[in-house]
Amino acid sequence: EKLLDEAFEYMASNEYQTFLSEHFANTFFKGNTNNHIKADNYLLSIIGKYSTNPKIINIVFNIIHHTRKILFESAFVTYIRSNQDVECFEKIRWTDRQTIYSGEAIIGEIKAAKWERVLNLVDNAKLATKTRGIRKYIKSWMDAELRNAEEEKRRKYFGGF
């Protein structure tokens, strides 16, 4: 684990943080199903240990979005209980970067639903006033995506696609 911690620290400090798809660290967590429990526990421990380092948390959640989707809720709750700082929260990619949608999909509605899921997790953590700023941030993203959805519907109705 210490060696993997050092690898995460190195990746976070020496790399450009905008990855369009899978971060290469996903390769450490793919494949062998015999080690999923150990891998999941390790990812949760990384979140607790580095909750104030958004670069490392982004790498961890990229792994979760691409390789360990089932872990998202417990990982998010682990994070939000460790750190309620809005500025740090804003630097983390909480929703996946889905880029392909079916032709009839209203992308803004899909993205708003993803943010709503995150908001529900924040609310269920029962941290009350500690997460007021985070809830406000999430709601602003939801509202923006719903406005985008309305614009998409207008364009589709008028044949603008």
Side-chain angles (χ1 to χ4, degrees), residues 16-100:
Y16 183 66
Q17 281 293 306
T18 303
F19 11 94
L20 296 176
S21 62
E22 284 187 15
H23 187 279
F24 73 88
N26 277 275
T27 57
F28 297 129
F29 298 90
K30 285 185 177 181
N32 190 348
T33 56
N34 297 331
N35 290 324
H36 280 323
I37 293 171
K38 188 174 182 179
D40 290 352
N41 289 336
Y42 175 73
L43 289 171
L44 293 174
S45 74
I46 284 283
I47 292 169
K49 186 175 183 178
Y50 294 100
S51 66
T52 59
N53 186 329
K55 289 182 176 185
I56 290 178
I57 299 300
N58 267 322
I59 294 170
V60 170
F61 273 91
N62 183 275
I63 293 166
I64 291 168
H65 289 310
H66 291 282
T67 307
R68 301 297 302 138
K69 291 180 189 293
I70 197 166
L71 189 62
F72 181 81
E73 289 185 16
S74 58
F76 183 84
V77 170
T78 299
Y79 175 83
I80 203 68
R81 290 196 175 162
S82 299
N83 185 357
Q84 299 88 38
D85 179 57
V86 178
E87 290 179 18
C88 190
F89 188 89
E90 291 174 354
K91 295 176 183 174
I92 300 166
R93 183 70 185 207
W94 295 110
T95 60
D96 62 5
R97 293 181 181 204
Q98 180 179 351
T99 56
I100 299 174

Side-chain angles (χ1 to χ4, degrees), residues 98-114 142-158 161:
Q98 180 179 351
T99 56
I100 299 174
Y101 299 88
S102 68
E104 297 301 314
I106 305 296
I107 298 167
E109 287 179 351
I110 294 168
K111 290 182 176 182
K114 290 177 182 182
M142 285 174 55
D143 290 344
E145 295 299 352
L146 290 172
R147 283 191 303 275
N148 289 340
E150 289 305 312
E151 184 60 32
E152 283 179 72
K153 290 176 188 176
R154 245 188 311 286
R155 283 194 311 259
K156 285 184 179 187
Y157 180 77
F158 292 114
F161 269 101

Side-chain angles (χ1 to χ4, degrees), residues 76-77 79-86 89 118-139:
F76 183 84
V77 170
Y79 175 83
I80 203 68
R81 290 196 175 162
S82 299
N83 185 357
Q84 299 88 38
D85 179 57
V86 178
F89 188 89
V118 172
L119 180 62
N120 288 336
L121 291 173
V122 171
D123 290 341
N124 291 339
K126 298 185 184 333
L127 294 169
T129 58
K130 291 181 179 181
T131 56
R132 186 177 330 148
I134 290 172
R135 288 194 315 269
K136 182 179 175 183
Y137 172 78
I138 294 169
K139 287 176 184 177

